Amino acid sequence: MAKIGIYGSSFDPVTNVHLWTASTIQHRCRLDKVIFLPCSNKRKDKQMQTADQHRWNMLQLAIQDNDKFTADNYEMKQNAWNISTYETLKYFKKKFINDTIYFIMGADLLIDIGKGKWGNSELLVKENKFIVMARDGIDMLKAISSSPILRNNDDGETFHLIDKGLAMEISSSYIREEFSLGGEPRYLLPEVCYQYIKDHGLYQTEE
């Protein structure tokens, strides 16, 4: 039985912190695989700045040298209004029926789930396992204990809380802005992705 982490984000573009975070979690939680899951471009809360093919190509380039990393375009192919993380995890549990699936997320998202802001929040917590990364200013244990959805559906193994030990945050939006303003974010993302962006003229102007 393998242990698999599902790591969702826009990856627009993928950054060195995305990779460092995934590597840290894979090592500490002894995961056999981390699946990078780019989100749908039809989400109302996020506006993608590049075509799906570019996001996918850059992600493939970024993870090609790590045999613990892979990517899945399941959500990319979906209309965002037809799926939620609950449906996505059902898909992966069916795909890897004999393995243990963990959803990787930040503590800020834990709070949102606890407030019932995600689709099928209660079932999502009751039926799944989560690896939760610390965020500055968020007390994860308090977030769980203060939410009926979280505390009443926690069997003691639902949440694996991780403090990465180093507050490294580089947003994709910062990298996009640097490119659009003629800046030099070269060492904030994998070199192959930096060259890909240069070669394809991506992020030259913010929409």
Side-chain angles (χ1 to χ4, degrees):
M1 178 182 291
K3 295 170 66 177
I4 300 173
I6 309 298
Y7 186 19
S9 184
S10 59
F11 300 118
D12 187 22
V14 60
T15 73
N16 283 336
V17 167
H18 286 134
L19 300 174
W20 172 70
T21 297
S23 179
T24 298
I25 288 172
Q26 184 274 318
H27 179 72
R28 290 201 200 166
C29 298
R30 295 177 173 80
L31 300 180
D32 297 286
K33 183 187 300 183
V34 174
I35 299 177
F36 289 72
L37 183 73
C39 67
S40 169
N41 65 9
K42 301 178 179 67
R43 287 176 54 168
K44 294 180 179 179
D45 60 329
K46 288 187 178 183
Q47 184 174 359
M48 301 303 122
Q49 301 297 320
T50 52
D52 281 358
Q53 194 59 48
H54 289 312
R55 285 196 294 146
W56 181 253
N57 289 345
M58 286 189 285
L59 185 54
Q60 292 291 323
L61 290 169
I63 66 176
Q64 63 186 348
D65 295 327
N66 190 324
D67 61 4
K68 299 290 187 182
F69 291 171
T70 186
D72 193 297
N73 63 356
Y74 170 72
E75 284 199 349
M76 267 187 161
K77 298 183 292 185
Q78 308 296 318
N79 289 321
W81 50 86
N82 289 336
I83 59 167
S84 67
T85 299
Y86 180 71
E87 281 80 28
T88 293
L89 290 177
K90 283 182 70 174
Y91 162 79
F92 281 106
K93 286 186 291 185
K94 186 175 181 180
K95 184 174 181 178
F96 301 102
I97 193 166
N98 295 316
D99 301 319
T100 303
I101 302 297
Y102 298 85
F103 185 70
I104 299 169
M105 66 181 181
D108 50 330
L109 302 184
L110 181 71
I111 290 177
D112 287 345
I113 294 174
K115 292 180 179 178
K117 293 182 177 181
W118 286 31
N120 294 304
S121 289
E122 190 151 353
L123 285 176
L124 174 65
V125 176
K126 187 175 183 179
E127 297 177 8
N128 295 285
K129 296 180 183 297
F130 303 85
I131 296 172
V132 188
M133 299 173 288
R135 290 281 188 267
D136 285 348
I138 296 178
D139 184 329
M140 294 186 284
L141 290 175
K142 183 178 180 180
I144 293 171
S145 63
S146 62
S147 164
I149 290 176
L150 300 180
R151 69 170 183 262
N152 292 340
N153 292 290
D154 179 11
D155 64 359
E157 298 183 358
T158 300
F159 303 107
H160 187 147
L161 309 180
I162 287 192
D163 188 333
K164 291 182 289 185
L166 183 63
M168 272 179 62
E169 301 297 337
I170 301 170
S171 69
S172 296
S173 59
Y174 176 81
I175 291 174
R176 294 196 303 268
E177 183 179 21
E178 283 293 292
F179 275 116
S180 72
L181 297 175
E184 183 52 280
R186 182 171 192 167
Y187 298 106
L188 302 182
L189 69 168
E191 178 68 17
V192 286
C193 296
Y194 173 83
Q195 293 298 338
Y196 184 96
I197 290 168
K198 287 288 194 178
D199 291 345
H200 291 83
L202 305 181
Y203 311 123
Q204 294 306 302
T205 56
E206 290 281 8
E207 296 180 5

